[in-house]
């Protein structure tokens, strides 16, 4: 098994290639991606989520420098340069705004960030539903804090990164991704109450299935506009029931008020309420190893996201269908915002052999897209690593 906290072989060379400096002067941060087992589109509704951090990561290397912050993204092959104390959005390059956003949020709290040379690299697929953005934000935050020799509790780092994404990048994401990236523990899922922000680590026992990320290779073009629309629909329904979030609306109240809501808004609420119930049932079935039932919950979640919340798409549906055709697959569902990106599948440990190849080979001719499927381990959250 690969140790996800082991420094990539090329990290030192990349840093010296771009900045002519050694790792001795630098802070090295590993920040994982996340995959959500259950609880989709519930975080901004004050609900429950159950993500794991995965063993694919963003690596951020940062060393103090005079004057400016210089950020090299290995994946983009681009350098971004900005000046502490004068941080603005870059309208041309979206990736650069995630690092700028975090520096901006830190400056709001502590004044100008120190100048720094920053390298970003890693093996996390970008923009496909495993939270490359939150991973980059939390990684950059820990790197800037490390360079400034400042400490901040990880949950405050997560909240600051969400604020940075909401206010500076302009994406109205919930709190799940940043919390998962910052706070998950190896071998555990993280149960997060998105209203109280209470967390609980839920152990994944040895008999747990293997989780696969199934990247559809379909770009998430509609995701941002539909996301904001779904949020607004849920908020208006909560207000209709006299609450701030759907968390306080019971299934009985929803059924009683059904006729007063537009039909599609009723279905949005039905998804959120049923998904919260599925998260709770999942915790119970995981505790007693009832993985068949866990698989059924994944199936039910996908159907609800597809039919009630309407955030799936053909590619995600096809991927989940094909995954389920495999003998060892207990359940599969779309993950993240939807309209493309990744699905996930839970596959019995003794039946994983050939899963990725078989599903991938069947998916390609149905969609014309080349998918990527890979197994993930529940890894630990973001951290500065000794080196
Ligand atoms: C995106 C957002 C999260 C969450 C999911 C849907 O990943 O960033 O906050 O809302 O969508 O569950």
């Amino acid at each position: 098994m690969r140790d996800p906290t082991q420094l990539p072989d090329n990290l030192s060379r990349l840093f010296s290639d771009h900045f002519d400096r050694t790792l001795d002067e630098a802070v090295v941060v590993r920040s994982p991606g996340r995959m959500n087992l259950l609880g989709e589109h519930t975080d901004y509704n004050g609900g429950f989520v159950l993500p794991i951090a995965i063993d694919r990561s963003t690596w951020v290397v940062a060393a103090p420098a005079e004057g400016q912050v210089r950020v090299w993204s290995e994946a983009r092959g681009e350098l971004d340069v900005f000046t502490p104390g004068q941080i603005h959005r870059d309208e041309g390059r979206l990736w650069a705004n995630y690092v700028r956003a975090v520096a901006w949020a830190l400056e709001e709290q502590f004044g100008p960030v120190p100048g720094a040379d920053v390298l970003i690299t890693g093996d996390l697929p970008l923009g496909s539903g495993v939270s490359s953005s939150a991973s980059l934000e939390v990684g950059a935050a820990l790197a800037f804090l490390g360079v400034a020799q400042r400490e901040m509790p990880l949950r405050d780092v997560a909240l600051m990164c969400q604020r940075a994404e909401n206010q500076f990048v302009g994406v109205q994401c919930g709190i799940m991704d940043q919390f998962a990236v910052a706070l998950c523990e190896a071998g555990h899922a993280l149960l997060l109450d998105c209203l109280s922000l209470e967390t609980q680590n839920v152990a994944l026992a040895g008999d747990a299935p293997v989780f696969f990320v199934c990247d559809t290779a379909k770009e998430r073009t509609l995701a941002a506009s539909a996301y904001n629309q779904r949020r607004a629909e849920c908020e208006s329904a909560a207000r209709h029931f006299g609450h701030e979030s759907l968390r306080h609306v019971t299934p009985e109240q929803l059924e009683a008020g059904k006729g007063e809501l537009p039909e599609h808004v009723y279905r949005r609420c039905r998804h959120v309420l049923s998904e919260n119930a599925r998260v709770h049932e999942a915790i119970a079935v995981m505790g007693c190893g009832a993985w068949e039932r866990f698989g059924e919950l994944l199936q039910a979640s996908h159907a609800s996201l597809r039919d009630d919340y309407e955030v799936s798409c053909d590619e995600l549906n096809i991927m989940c269908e094909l995954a389920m055709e495999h003998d060892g697959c207990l359940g599969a569902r779309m993950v993240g915002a939807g309209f493309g990106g990744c699905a996930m599948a839970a596959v019995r440990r003794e039946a994983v052999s050939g899963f990725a190849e078989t599903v991938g080979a069947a998916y390609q001719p149905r969609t014309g897209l080349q998918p990527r499927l890979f197994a993930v381990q529940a890894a630990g959250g973001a951290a500065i690593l000794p080196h």
Side-chain angles (χ1 to χ4, degrees):
M1 191 190 305
R2 198 170 54 92
D3 173 6
T5 63
Q6 190 163 359
L7 266 58
D9 292 341
N10 61 355
L11 206 60
S12 173
R13 183 184 55 75
L14 286 175
F15 196 58
S16 69
D17 279 359
H18 292 291
F19 297 112
D20 199 18
R21 307 181 64 170
T22 69
L23 287 193
D24 297 347
E25 313 165 68
V27 174
V28 174
V29 180
R30 170 195 170 260
S31 185
R34 69 96 184 92
M35 194 188 64
N36 190 15
L37 299 185
L38 214 50
E40 215 65 84
H41 286 280
T42 49
D43 62 350
Y44 54 82
N45 286 307
F48 296 88
V49 294
L50 190 63
I52 57 172
I54 63 174
D55 52 345
R56 299 267 184 139
S57 323
T58 307
W59 288 85
V60 184
V61 181
E66 284 300 312
Q68 293 176 306
V69 177
R70 303 191 293 159
V71 186
W72 174 260
S73 163
E74 183 64 14
R76 312 277 175 187
E78 285 179 352
L79 182 74
D80 181 44
V81 181
F82 62 88
T83 307
Q86 302 170 33
I87 304 177
H88 309 288
R89 278 177 59 88
D90 181 332
E91 299 306 333
R93 282 175 308 175
L94 285 185
W95 73 265
N97 287 324
Y98 288 92
V99 182
R100 289 181 178 212
V102 169
W104 167 86
L106 280 165
E107 291 198 343
E108 291 233 307
Q109 242 169 303
F110 303 114
V113 292
D117 291 333
V118 184
L119 164 75
I120 299 163
T121 182
D123 61 357
L124 192 61
L126 303 181
S128 54
V130 283
S131 270
S132 53
S133 315
S135 171
L136 175 55
E137 289 159 6
V138 173
L142 292 187
F144 282 125
L145 286 163
V147 167
Q149 297 186 330
R150 256 183 211 288
E151 304 233 320
M152 191 189 274
L154 282 167
R155 59 171 47 231
D156 294 349
V157 171
L159 287 166
M160 180 187 75
C161 289
Q162 184 203 19
R163 194 173 67 242
E165 183 156 345
N166 290 168
Q167 296 179 11
F168 190 94
V169 181
V171 176
Q172 298 309 313
C173 62
I175 189 56
M176 165 170 68
D177 303 345
Q178 291 81 3
F179 254 67
V181 167
L183 292 168
C184 277
E185 288 197 5
H188 292 76
L190 182 80
L191 172 64
L192 168 63
D193 176 337
C194 300
L195 194 63
S196 68
L197 297 185
E198 275 170 42
T199 58
Q200 188 189 320
N201 291 310
V202 182
L204 290 165
D207 64 348
V210 175
F211 298 113
F212 279 83
V213 168
C214 312
D215 185 349
T216 61
K218 166 82 175 24
E219 264 189 64
R220 296 178 302 170
T221 36
L222 273 171
S225 59
Y227 190 89
N228 292 341
Q229 200 185 5
R230 298 296 182 280
R231 268 193 95 128
E233 287 164 354
C234 291
E235 280 159 14
S236 77
R239 273 197 304 276
H240 172 85
F241 288 107
H243 294 295
E244 247 179 56
S245 82
L246 288 178
R247 171 67 170 273
H248 304 291
V249 178
T250 64
E252 294 72 29
Q253 282 172 326
L254 178 62
E255 287 311 313
K258 182 174 177 180
E260 298 153 15
L261 295 171
E263 197 269 340
H264 69 284
V265 175
Y266 161 76
R267 281 188 287 113
R268 307 295 186 248
C269 300
R270 186 166 63 181
H271 165 72
V272 174
L273 269 54
S274 65
E275 187 77 352
N276 280 332
R278 279 186 287 275
V279 173
H280 288 299
E281 193 182 343
I283 303 294
V285 302
M286 285 162 82
C288 61
W291 293 108
E292 296 280 340
R293 179 64 192 146
F294 182 83
E296 289 168 13
L297 293 171
L298 297 183
Q299 292 296 104
S301 171
H302 184 75
S304 178
L305 288 157
R306 182 190 61 209
D307 303 334
D308 276 358
Y309 219 65
E310 296 181 289
V311 289
S312 191
C313 62
D314 288 349
E315 291 79 359
L316 284 166
N317 296 338
I318 290 170
M319 183 67 90
C320 292
E321 271 166 38
L322 293 173
M324 276 309 285
E325 281 174 17
H326 192 273
D327 274 351
C329 185
L330 296 166
R333 66 175 199 87
M334 57 151 282
V335 289
F339 296 102
C342 293
M344 67 87 103
V347 183
R348 277 188 286 111
R349 207 155 273 279
E350 59 280 13
V352 290
S353 150
F355 174 79
E357 296 73 13
T358 312
V359 176
Y363 175 86
Q364 206 277 337
R366 294 268 309 264
T367 58
L369 295 170
Q370 191 59 53
R372 269 181 305 179
L373 290 91
F374 51 92
V376 290
Q377 313 269 356
I384 294 183
L385 295 183
H387 61 280

